[in-house]
Amino acid sequence: LARYYYETGKMDSAIIYYKKCLLIKSPYFYICENAALKLSKIYSATNNYVMSNVYLRQSMVCDDSLSQNIFKQNSNLIKKLNEKLEYERRLDAEAKMHSFIVFTIILLFVIFLFVTIYYIRNKQVKNKNQREKVKRIISELHIRGNDIIIKNDLRISQLKNEISLLNNKIDKFK
């Protein structure tokens, strides 16, 4: 409404409504700044420079308030963005740590698996070698045993022959 009166040249009505704009406590500081600038222009046009300066200063206060408000909003946004960035960095670090732990566990499992397989195969080879060695020893013992039995049988038959010869000699002496 104030702008309408200002544009139509009804300055008294424009002054009343621009002053009402200044009384409104609004977070929209540009309304205050715009109203104060318009009042400054109106009073300047009527050669009332004292009032023009008053409203010019008030527009600067509104502008400063607007700047401060924007600065606060920007500071809050920057703070929130930094917090979010820090949170994402922590999540990323945790994800990397989690991946590292999983990789380490898998690596340890694979190493354990290879060591176990190596140990089992080694054990199997040793067992196979031992079985072959035992078979070879048993075979050798069997062969030796047969040789000893044959020798003993020969020796027994020799001894029997000698005993029979001795018995014959004893019978001859009697």
Side-chain angles (χ1 to χ4, degrees):
L1 216 51
R3 185 175 31 182
Y4 170 76
Y5 287 126
Y6 179 78
E7 289 173 359
T8 57
K10 297 179 182 174
M11 296 303 162
D12 291 337
S13 297
I15 289 172
I16 292 169
Y17 282 103
Y18 277 129
K19 284 183 179 180
K20 284 184 180 183
C21 287
L22 292 176
L23 296 175
I24 298 172
K25 299 293 180 192
S26 170
Y28 305 108
F29 294 103
Y30 60 88
I31 294 173
C32 171
E33 179 187 15
N34 186 37
L37 278 174
K38 292 293 184 184
L39 285 170
S40 175
K41 283 183 183 180
I42 292 169
Y43 283 116
S44 181
T46 60
N47 296 326
N48 188 346
Y49 296 111
V50 172
M51 289 304 289
S52 175
N53 282 336
V54 168
Y55 287 111
L56 189 59
R57 282 192 194 110
Q58 190 169 355
S59 78
M60 289 190 304
V61 168
C62 291
D63 184 48
D64 287 345
S65 297
L66 177 63
S67 296
Q68 288 175 354
N69 190 31
I70 290 172
F71 180 76
K72 280 183 187 178
Q73 289 175 350
N74 288 345
S75 295
N76 288 338
L77 285 174
I78 290 171
K79 183 179 177 184
K80 286 179 183 178
L81 286 174
N82 283 334
E83 288 171 358
K84 187 174 182 180
L85 182 64
E86 183 61 32
Y87 177 73
E88 287 178 3
R89 283 181 183 157
R90 276 187 278 141
L91 285 179
D92 188 46
E94 288 174 6
K96 285 180 182 177
M97 181 59 79
H98 179 71
S99 296
F100 176 74
I101 289 171
V102 168
F103 174 75
T104 304
I105 290 171
I106 291 171
L107 182 65
L108 289 174
F109 178 74
V110 168
I111 290 171
F112 174 76
L113 191 64
F114 279 124
V115 167
T116 303
I117 290 170
Y118 175 77
Y119 175 76
I120 290 171
R121 288 198 182 220
N122 232 4
K123 189 99 170 163
Q124 287 174 344
V125 168
K126 282 181 182 179
N127 286 341
K128 183 179 177 186
N129 289 341
Q130 284 179 348
R131 281 193 302 269
E132 288 175 2
K133 192 174 181 180
V134 167
K135 282 181 184 178
R136 211 173 42 247
I137 290 172
I138 289 173
S139 175
E140 287 176 13
L141 287 175
H142 186 63
I143 292 171
R144 280 186 192 167
N146 286 339
D147 286 345
I148 290 174
I149 290 172
I150 291 171
K151 283 181 185 178
N152 285 342
D153 284 343
L154 281 175
R155 181 72 178 143
I156 289 172
S157 73
Q158 283 175 355
L159 288 174
K160 280 183 182 179
N161 285 338
E162 282 181 27
I163 290 174
S164 79
L165 282 176
L166 284 174
N167 279 337
N168 284 340
K169 281 184 184 181
I170 291 176
D171 284 339
K172 280 185 184 180
F173 275 128
K174 285 191 182 184

